[in-house]
């Protein structure tokens, strides 16, 4: 299945209409950019809500704060474009947690008119928007030590596949597994609460079939892996 990733730069984006049905629009941005979608990150705090400002303020490293501000400015600019709102007027809420029923589920737009997913790793952020629940994830290819730490917590078939690979190929394959699994877990809203074993997503070049969902590997910069998760019906991303 083919997929396309739009790139959000310093200029205000032209978002257009969302795909009809279970499709998604996917965007990527460089989180080191000091101007995102026409807004300077250095003066972006008034655009954010109280929770976002609090999280930004708790980031002690300037580089971490810049990445956070860039990704959330991008999120609000794109949400505003799709919803016809000023970015600062977009109201973000938390859905009910599907595991415990608490008010700390995945981030959402108030009213549920639009679903979104945000992921950032290193200096890259990916954002996906759809009319249905959606999950997107981007991951820097992990170091060998990180692969060794996590490999045993995966689905047994994934662990076996990674173990059988030459060490030089294992890191890239682990990046595929991790991005696919995270995208799915964000799409369902469960996150990591139920662990990493399920579902089986596969480590090969093509994602495995997951009941009720379609996983798609996305184009990514060198050294990264990215994936999208959508409900099965009409799953092709734009």
């Amino acid at each position: 299945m083919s997929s396309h990733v739009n790139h959000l730069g310093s200029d205000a984006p032209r978002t257009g209409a969302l795909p009809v049905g279970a499709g998604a629009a996917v965007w990527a941005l460089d989180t080191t950019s000091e101007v995102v979608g026409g807004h300077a990150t250095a003066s972006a705090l008034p655009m954010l809500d109280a929770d976002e400002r609090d999280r930004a303020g708790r980031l002690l490293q300037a580089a971490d704060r810049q990445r956070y501000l860039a990704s959330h400015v991008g999120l609000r600019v794109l949400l505003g474009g799709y919803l016809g709102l000023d970015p600062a007027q977009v109201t973000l809420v938390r859905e009910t947690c599907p595991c415990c029923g608490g008010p700390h589920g995945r981030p959402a737009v108030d009213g549920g008119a639009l679903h979104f997913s945000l992921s950032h790793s290193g200096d890259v952020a990916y954002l996906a928007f759809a009319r249905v629940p959606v999950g997107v994830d981007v991951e820097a290819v992990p170091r060998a030590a990180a692969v060794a730490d996590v490999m045993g917590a995966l689905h047994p078939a994934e662990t076996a596949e990674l173990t059988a690979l030459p060490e030089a190929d294992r890191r890239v394959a682990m990046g595929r597994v991790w991005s696919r699994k995270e995208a799915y877990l964000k799409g369902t809203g469960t996150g990591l609460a139920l662990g990493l074993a399920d579902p089986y997503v596969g480590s090969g070049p093509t994602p495995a079939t997951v009941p009720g969902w379609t996983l798609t590997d996305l184009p990514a910069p060198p050294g990264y892996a990215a994936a999208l998760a959508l409900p099965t019906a009409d799953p092709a991303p734009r």
Side-chain angles (χ1 to χ4, degrees), residues 33-57:
S33 299
E34 296 181 357
V35 179
V36 176
H39 298 267
T41 58
S43 56
L45 286 180
M47 179 192 298
L48 308 183
D49 64 24
D51 287 343
E52 290 171 306
R53 292 194 296 271
D54 178 65
R55 291 191 66 181

Side-chain angles (χ1 to χ4, degrees), residues 8 39 56-57 63 67 84 94 103 106 124-125 130-131 144 172 191 195 201 212 228:
L8 178 59
H39 298 267
R67 294 184 185 107
R94 285 280 183 174
R106 62 184 168 192
V124 179
R131 301 182 188 276
V172 173
V201 299
L228 178 74

Side-chain angles (χ1 to χ4, degrees), residues 193-238:
L194 302 180
L196 292 171
D198 293 316
Y200 169 72
V201 299
S203 63
T206 303
T209 299
V210 176
W213 289 79
T214 295
L215 303 181
T216 305
D217 288 343
L218 298 172
Y224 289 85
L228 178 74
L230 283 165
T232 300
D234 188 21
R238 185 178 68 178

Side-chain angles (χ1 to χ4, degrees), residues 4-134:
H4 175 67
V5 176
N6 305 286
H7 291 274
L8 178 59
S10 58
D11 296 330
R14 296 181 62 185
T15 52
L18 282 172
V20 176
V26 182
W27 295 76
L29 68 90
D30 178 353
T31 56
T32 66
S33 299
E34 296 181 357
V35 179
V36 176
H39 298 267
T41 58
S43 56
L45 286 180
M47 179 192 298
L48 308 183
D49 64 24
D51 287 343
E52 290 171 306
R53 292 194 296 271
D54 178 65
R55 291 191 66 181
R58 286 189 278 112
L59 295 171
L60 302 180
Q61 299 296 323
D64 293 337
R65 189 162 54 251
Q66 162 62 29
R67 294 184 185 107
Y68 180 86
L69 290 173
S71 60
H72 280 256
V73 168
L75 173 65
R76 286 184 164 273
V77 165
L78 291 167
L79 283 174
Y82 287 119
L83 296 171
L85 296 173
D86 182 277
Q89 299 304 311
V90 175
T91 302
L92 300 178
V93 297
R94 285 280 183 174
E95 293 181 346
T96 301
C97 174
C99 299
C100 70
H104 50 257
R106 62 184 168 192
V109 175
D110 189 28
L114 178 66
H115 295 265
F116 71 88
S117 181
L118 164 65
S119 174
H120 52 85
S121 180
D123 293 335
V124 179
Y126 274 50
L127 306 98
F129 304 87
R131 301 182 188 276
V132 294
V134 59

